[in-house]
Amino acid sequence: MTSVAILGTGSLGKAIAQRYLNEGVTVQTWNRTRERLRLLLELGAIELSNLFEVTAKCQVVITVLRDGPVTAKVVRELGSLQNTTLIPMGTMGVSESKNLAKQVIKQGGSYLEAPVLGSKPQALSGNLLVMAGGDVTIFEQHYQLLNYLCKRPKLVGPVGCGAATKLALNQLIASLTHSFSLSLRLIQQAGVSVETFMEILRPSALYAPTFDKKLERMLHRHYADPNFSTSLLRKDMTLFLQETAVNGLEDLGLKGLVQLLNQAKGTELDAQDYCALHELTKVSE
């Protein structure tokens, strides 16, 4: 039976672990906050009491941690990665992923970045989108594990390509949400019915499903129970800005959006659903 270690059991990591358990995969899991393991242990996961025992029990280690620096720190604590493949699924910068790959190789292991698009519902149903970066042989070796989470996992290129693809997609999340918020604000101020606006928008080439997904949250200011928070969105947009600087891209518009997201720091919006940025586009009173 396949056995995999999952390090990091926040909302997404927990859902990924649940999906594997439902598919008959033996899941060994770890989190610095032990309370977050309770549900998984009740479902049959095996607790790893410390990081040193991870690679002795599992040849595949999946990390679903907040960012690149945290992931690198945890991986260092694993010690030797001999005969082990590390598969980070959290969002990282391109250079962060490349550096982590070098670190893993120095520790004796192999590396396959596999960031995912989607959140808890998609993870539980096996409908995440996986964009892997790494060696084709390693990708094929672990294809079935990825296939439990995604109908058609894609190898988009060598290490760094997966990270770049994920950042590009998350940039669209931020920009589409921001532009939709501004449009809603304008039509409401002008006295146009939101329903009428949506009836015009939906059949047009401008429509994106995320608009309807977030519409009710924005209209009713319901940002609780996030699958992806404002603070994480800001973190990813900051990473994207780092890549624009490296690649010589014009990023003036995105800088303005990051400045807007910075206004959420230290407020309740930071821990809420990312569409809470709608609160930041409101007309000044």
Side-chain angles (χ1 to χ4, degrees):
M1 182 180 291
T2 304
S3 179
V4 60
I6 297 182
L7 311 184
T9 55
S11 178
L12 181 59
K14 185 182 297 182
I16 288 173
Q18 285 182 250
R19 174 66 179 177
Y20 280 136
L21 287 168
N22 291 339
E23 293 297 321
V25 177
T26 299
V27 173
Q28 308 211 33
T29 188
W30 171 92
N31 194 293
R32 289 199 190 280
T33 305
R34 191 173 184 275
E35 179 63 24
R36 290 186 174 183
L37 299 179
R38 178 181 297 180
L39 174 62
L40 294 178
L41 298 181
E42 291 174 354
L43 293 175
I46 301 167
E47 182 179 5
L48 291 160
S49 58
N50 62 69
L51 291 171
F52 296 110
E53 65 179 339
V54 171
T55 57
K57 296 184 176 182
C58 299
Q59 292 183 324
V60 178
V61 178
I62 293 174
T63 60
V64 196
L65 300 164
R66 179 180 175 84
D67 55 30
V70 170
T71 303
K73 183 177 185 298
V74 169
V75 171
R76 278 193 295 272
E77 293 182 43
L78 295 176
S80 173
L81 294 174
Q82 193 69 38
N83 299 319
T84 302
T85 299
L86 183 84
I87 306 178
M89 291 189 173
T91 304
M92 289 187 285
V94 175
S95 60
E96 289 178 337
S97 186
K98 289 181 177 179
N99 288 336
L100 182 59
K102 294 176 182 177
Q103 176 182 328
V104 168
I105 292 171
K106 286 183 179 179
Q107 290 177 232
S110 57
Y111 184 85
L112 181 73
E113 62 181 7
V116 300
L117 184 67
S119 53
K120 179 178 178 179
Q122 292 76 33
L124 291 173
S125 63
N127 287 301
L128 289 169
L129 297 177
V130 174
M131 55 221 77
D135 183 85
V136 63
T137 302
I138 299 174
F139 174 73
E140 291 175 349
Q141 180 182 354
H142 300 294
Y143 184 87
Q144 183 56 59
L145 266 182
L146 301 178
N147 190 229
Y148 287 135
L149 304 177
C150 171
K151 289 182 172 61
R152 294 183 179 178
K154 291 186 178 297
L155 180 67
V156 296
V159 172
C161 290
T165 303
K166 179 63 193 305
L167 286 178
L169 291 168
N170 279 16
Q171 188 275 139
L172 287 174
I173 292 175
S175 294
L176 285 171
T177 305
H178 179 231
S179 63
F180 184 54
S181 173
L182 284 174
S183 292
L184 281 181
R185 294 286 187 197
L186 179 61
I187 62 126
Q188 288 179 303
Q189 287 295 310
V192 178
S193 161
V194 172
E195 182 178 351
T196 298
F197 174 69
M198 294 305 296
E199 288 175 353
I200 295 169
L201 175 61
R202 288 189 185 104
S204 76
L206 306 174
Y207 177 73
T210 188
F211 297 157
D212 268 312
K213 183 179 179 181
K214 298 300 181 183
L215 178 60
E216 291 303 313
R217 276 185 176 266
M218 289 178 167
L219 293 180
H220 299 291
R221 304 177 71 182
H222 172 63
Y223 310 121
D225 305 316
N227 288 318
F228 187 49
S229 68
T230 306
S231 64
L232 287 176
L233 183 65
R234 181 177 61 250
K235 182 264 294 183
D236 291 350
M237 290 309 93
T238 301
L239 287 174
F240 192 95
L241 282 179
Q242 293 174 6
E243 299 305 329
T244 63
V246 171
N247 292 281
L249 304 178
E250 175 51 64
D251 56 12
L252 183 60
L254 188 59
K255 284 180 178 176
L257 176 52
V258 172
Q259 289 176 3
L260 190 70
L261 289 168
N262 282 337
Q263 294 179 23
K265 284 184 178 179
T267 74
E268 63 181 8
L269 300 180
D270 233 15
Q272 295 178 337
D273 188 89
Y274 67 86
C275 71
L277 71 83
H278 187 55
E279 295 299 305
L280 305 175
T281 62
K282 66 175 62 176
V283 177
S284 301
E285 299 176 354

